[in-house]
Amino acid sequence: MSLETLGWQGLVILVLFGLSLLIATYCTYAERVIAAFLQDRVGPDRAGPYGLAQPLADAVKMFTKEEFFPGGANKALFIFGPCLAMVTALMSSAVIPFGNFLKFGDTVVHLQGIEINVGMLYVFGIVSLGVYGIMIGGWASNNKFSLLGAIRAASQNISYELAMGLALIAVLMMSGTLSLREITLQQSVPGEWHFWNIVKQPLGFIIFCVCAFAETNRTPFDLPECETELVGGYHTEYSSMKLGLYLFAEYINVFVASAVMSVLYFGGFNFPFQYELSQWLQSSRGLSADMAQNVISILGFAGLFLKIFAFIFFFMWVRWTLPRFRYDQLMRLGWTILIPLAIFNILLTGGLINFGVIAEVKQWWLTSPIAVR
Amino acid sequence: MQSLSNRAKKLEKKPFTLAERAYLPAIFQGLSITMRHFFMKKATIRYPEETRPFSPVFRGLHVLKRDEQGRERCTACGLCAVACPAEAITMVAGERKKGEQNLYREEKYAVSYEINMLRCIFCGLCEEACPKAAIYLQADKMAPPRYERDEFIYGKDRLVEPVSPDNRSKRGIQLTPEQADKLRSQLA
Ligand code: SF4
Ligand code: SF4
């Protein structure tokens, strides 16, 4: 990799980092507006036009609030908790392919933080680290409610990670790779935009989606912070920007979960008729092949973000529709329904692959002339 | 057991059907309901810019009325203070001096007259008790919020109707145009 490419790649990483922060910031605003709209209200509309400066006002509020340390708390861990939650949340978006590549002459810039061949495993590892942030924070608070919230978070995340992993295995069996970029590219078959994984893995997607809700501690699975029982759950004792970091980390997690779902099941940066568009750009508009690819890449980038926003909206929509599960219901759903379903899904997928249904399609993809590798 | 009203409904706990146990149909039903609300007309009234119409019988901020000649009607009889269930009204009575006939209608008048709006429950009993038709609760004004408690004690400076024929409240004594003209010429 040349130095120039490296520089470009660094820029891409910075942009993606900033974008995920910005999106998380505006998630707080979106959450409130969407909640309001679903409840026949209008939501925050005072700070700036349409209340768009609301996140800034919130940040000022968070930063100027009193920094409180509960008596008997382990101070170092108390600070470490929210930091860890935030760091792990931010790290997981590194491997997500937000777009194909841009090509200027010899420089090829991939719109992705970093491409590693175990991308999905990396996301999984980081996400499961995320629960330590909650655990440590809840433990260090020296508060029974916080501790209960933290324990709930831990057991919930472990339970749902299993079902999530099993749902994912079905996808991996079909794609034969852990690289998110590969998985995305395999979902683009010329002229067949409905070749996205959701068509091949509907059951797997539902399981994955439910688990994603549980992993990000969103309603109906927000038992770790369940206000009605645990005051504020694991962040009961937190105030000021440390609380802000926890809330922020949750939104980044929602963003990453949406991105992963879009990439795994909804074609990532592919969008309908991209090949037709590329051909049209080259033939009627006289663009070079590289330029056409660049246009497609940028459109794909925007398309992926549209998908992500749709998922984020869905997260919020569900939050303001469904009531919270009871803890035993949560565990029963995870262990006795989702995990067997996911195993059944694996068997089903294995059967389909064995009888050649999927292999045939894959073969066709591999031999197709446009399969850019 | 025989139900008393004969309206009791017998409920049976049926086992869940498959669709109910799958839970997803119910979720989608719920999601569609909230989505419908997403596009509904919003119930919010953006307060300072928009206000709700007041009811014509709304009992709001008090006003001490003047008569047709611009004289204060209140005679400091104290009936309003006695009638007040919240003991919100206090006053100090004084005797009208010579040459003040154009200021006060009666020989005895209220030197100071205070209503504590934090105590007041806006029941309107003072208005009913007044024999001189001096105090009214306006239908179109409220006691606005303040930062300090003593700002809620309204003295005569804020209660007495300003001396302007155009300043007519929706309730209380309405001046006819002729009366208003007369008052204007007197004031000039
Ligand atoms: S409205 Fe009722 S409470 Fe208020 S001052 Fe008059 S009598 Fe008292
Ligand atoms: S407002 Fe009416 S009732 Fe009260 S002191 Fe004056 S004249 Fe009497």
Side-chain angles (χ1 to χ4, degrees):
Chain A
M1 204 184 272
S2 75
L3 206 61
E4 195 185 356
T5 321
L6 216 59
W8 278 109
Q9 210 61 48
L11 190 70
V12 167
I13 291 177
L14 272 185
V15 167
L16 290 179
F17 183 71
L19 257 181
S20 41
L21 279 182
L22 186 77
I23 287 173
T25 314
Y26 272 90
C27 273
T28 60
Y29 169 75
E31 174 103 78
R32 293 162 72 174
V33 170
I34 289 169
F37 268 67
L38 292 176
Q39 297 171 347
D40 292 344
R41 299 181 285 117
V42 293
D45 67 342
R46 295 288 138 153
Y50 301 103
L52 278 174
Q54 189 65 41
L56 289 180
D58 284 342
V60 170
K61 185 198 84 170
M62 285 287 188
F63 274 114
T64 49
K65 278 211 165 173
E66 185 194 349
E67 184 118 20
F68 174 76
F69 288 95
N74 184 330
K75 211 164 167 182
L77 286 184
F78 192 71
I79 297 175
F80 186 56
C83 299
L84 189 65
M86 190 72 185
V87 166
T88 51
L90 281 171
M91 269 164 70
S92 42
S93 62
V95 294
I96 292 167
F98 286 103
N100 215 339
F101 56 85
L102 297 176
K103 197 167 179 193
F104 307 104
D106 291 337
T107 332
V108 177
V109 184
H110 289 270
L111 297 177
Q112 182 179 12
I114 184 165
E115 162 66 10
I116 49 177
N117 56 9
V118 289
M120 200 50 229
L121 215 55
Y122 170 86
V123 174
F124 244 68
I126 299 294
V127 165
S128 43
L129 269 184
V131 75
Y132 283 95
I134 294 176
M135 271 300 276
I136 290 174
W139 169 258
S141 301
N142 188 28
N143 175 323
K144 291 192 178 66
F145 290 122
S146 303
L147 186 61
L148 273 175
I151 291 173
R152 280 184 177 188
S155 54
Q156 168 180 331
N157 279 28
I158 290 168
S159 314
Y160 278 77
E161 238 158 52
L162 283 179
M164 199 180 203
L166 289 176
L168 189 68
I169 283 178
V171 177
L172 300 184
M173 277 161 66
M174 287 189 326
S175 57
T177 171
L178 276 163
S179 152
L180 286 169
R181 186 177 181 77
E182 285 283 300
I183 293 176
T184 310
L185 286 175
Q186 287 183 15
Q187 293 179 64
S188 65
V189 171
E192 292 248 350
W193 65 271
H194 49 75
F195 200 66
W196 294 348
N197 274 344
I198 175 74
V199 186
K200 297 186 281 183
Q201 285 288 333
L203 183 60
F205 169 69
I206 292 174
I207 297 170
F208 194 92
C209 188
V210 172
C211 294
F213 273 86
E215 289 284 300
T216 48
N217 300 329
R218 297 281 301 187
T219 324
F221 307 113
D222 63 341
L223 287 130
E225 44 176 294
C226 182
E227 303 88 358
T228 39
E229 298 162 24
L230 298 182
V231 192
Y234 61 91
H235 56 53
T236 302
E237 296 286 0
Y238 279 90
S239 63
S240 168
M241 202 55 206
K242 291 206 289 307
L243 173 67
L245 284 185
Y246 268 133
L247 302 182
F248 218 66
E250 182 184 318
Y251 284 110
I252 299 179
N253 279 332
V254 167
F255 168 66
V256 171
S258 304
V260 168
M261 280 196 281
S262 315
V263 168
L264 284 182
Y265 292 98
F266 282 84
F269 51 71
N270 297 305
F271 59 93
F273 309 116
Q274 48 182 348
Y275 291 100
E276 285 81 348
L277 183 62
S278 168
Q279 237 118 58
W280 180 79
L281 281 173
Q282 287 175 45
S283 58
S284 326
R285 294 274 135 174
L287 262 62
S288 67
D290 283 353
M291 271 326 270
Q293 176 60 42
N294 287 352
V295 172
I296 298 293
S297 291
I298 289 170
L299 284 179
F301 183 75
L304 176 58
F305 271 90
L306 266 187
K307 290 171 198 171
I308 292 175
F309 291 153
F311 269 114
I312 291 178
F313 178 80
F314 183 66
F315 267 94
M316 293 174 179
W317 183 13
V318 168
R319 169 162 183 192
W320 298 101
T321 302
L322 296 184
R324 185 181 292 129
F325 273 73
R326 226 167 47 209
Y327 202 70
D328 62 318
Q329 292 173 330
L330 172 93
M331 281 297 153
R332 189 166 305 137
L333 178 69
W335 287 95
T336 68
I337 299 178
L338 289 183
I339 291 182
L341 260 186
I343 293 175
F344 168 73
N345 189 39
I346 291 179
L347 293 179
L348 191 72
T349 312
L352 286 181
I353 293 176
N354 198 25
F355 293 117
V357 181
I358 291 171
E360 221 166 82
V361 176
K362 194 172 171 193
Q363 194 56 40
W364 172 55
W365 183 79
L366 285 175
T367 51
S368 68
I370 313 179
V372 197
R373 279 288 192 138
Chain B
M1 201 179 79
Q2 183 68 41
S3 113
L4 287 178
S5 62
N6 270 335
R7 271 179 296 171
K9 233 192 218 166
K10 194 144 177 102
L11 290 181
E12 265 172 79
K13 195 178 173 200
K14 288 191 213 96
F16 278 0
T17 61
L18 184 70
E20 279 168 336
R21 262 185 297 143
Y23 201 51
L24 284 178
I27 289 181
F28 286 119
Q29 202 182 353
L31 287 176
S32 76
I33 289 174
T34 42
M35 193 29 77
R36 237 175 294 143
H37 278 269
F38 192 91
F39 295 108
M40 270 187 195
K41 202 176 166 308
K42 303 302 168 211
T44 306
I45 294 174
R46 290 181 164 84
Y47 168 59
E49 295 98 54
E50 276 174 66
T51 44
R52 290 190 130 151
F54 283 84
S55 147
V57 292
F58 181 77
R59 296 190 296 266
L61 192 66
H62 309 66
V63 64
L64 282 173
K65 302 294 289 185
R66 295 174 185 275
D67 68 359
E68 308 79 48
Q69 291 155 36
R71 303 177 297 189
E72 286 175 22
R73 300 181 74 102
C74 175
T75 182
C77 65
L79 287 177
C80 52
V82 173
C84 178
E87 305 202 353
I89 305 179
T90 52
M91 72 192 74
V92 176
E95 202 178 332
R96 182 178 72 187
K97 306 248 164 46
K98 246 206 187 99
E100 290 182 334
Q101 281 93 332
N102 60 334
L103 294 179
Y104 312 110
R105 194 161 104 141
E106 314 287 341
E107 277 172 33
K108 181 173 164 237
Y109 74 99
V111 179
S112 88
Y113 187 106
E114 286 179 345
I115 301 180
N116 186 339
M117 293 301 169
L118 287 179
R119 296 197 68 119
C120 175
I121 55 172
F122 299 94
C123 60
L125 289 184
C126 48
E127 177 181 314
E128 266 172 50
C130 182
K132 296 288 177 190
I135 189 158
Y136 282 94
L137 274 67
Q138 288 151 292
D140 54 352
K141 276 203 194 92
M142 285 193 279
R146 307 260 171 196
Y147 287 110
E148 304 295 335
R149 279 173 177 266
D150 43 349
E151 288 175 26
F152 281 100
I153 298 173
Y154 278 54
K156 274 181 80 176
D157 52 332
R158 283 190 282 174
L159 286 174
V160 179
E161 194 181 28
V163 202
S164 159
D166 303 316
N167 210 331
R168 278 175 277 162
S169 166
K170 286 209 179 117
R171 263 165 106 200
I173 291 163
Q174 300 276 316
L175 299 178
T176 59
E178 300 90 71
Q179 285 174 321
D181 283 341
K182 201 170 144 201
L183 178 55
R184 216 177 267 123
S185 62
Q186 271 174 352
L187 288 170

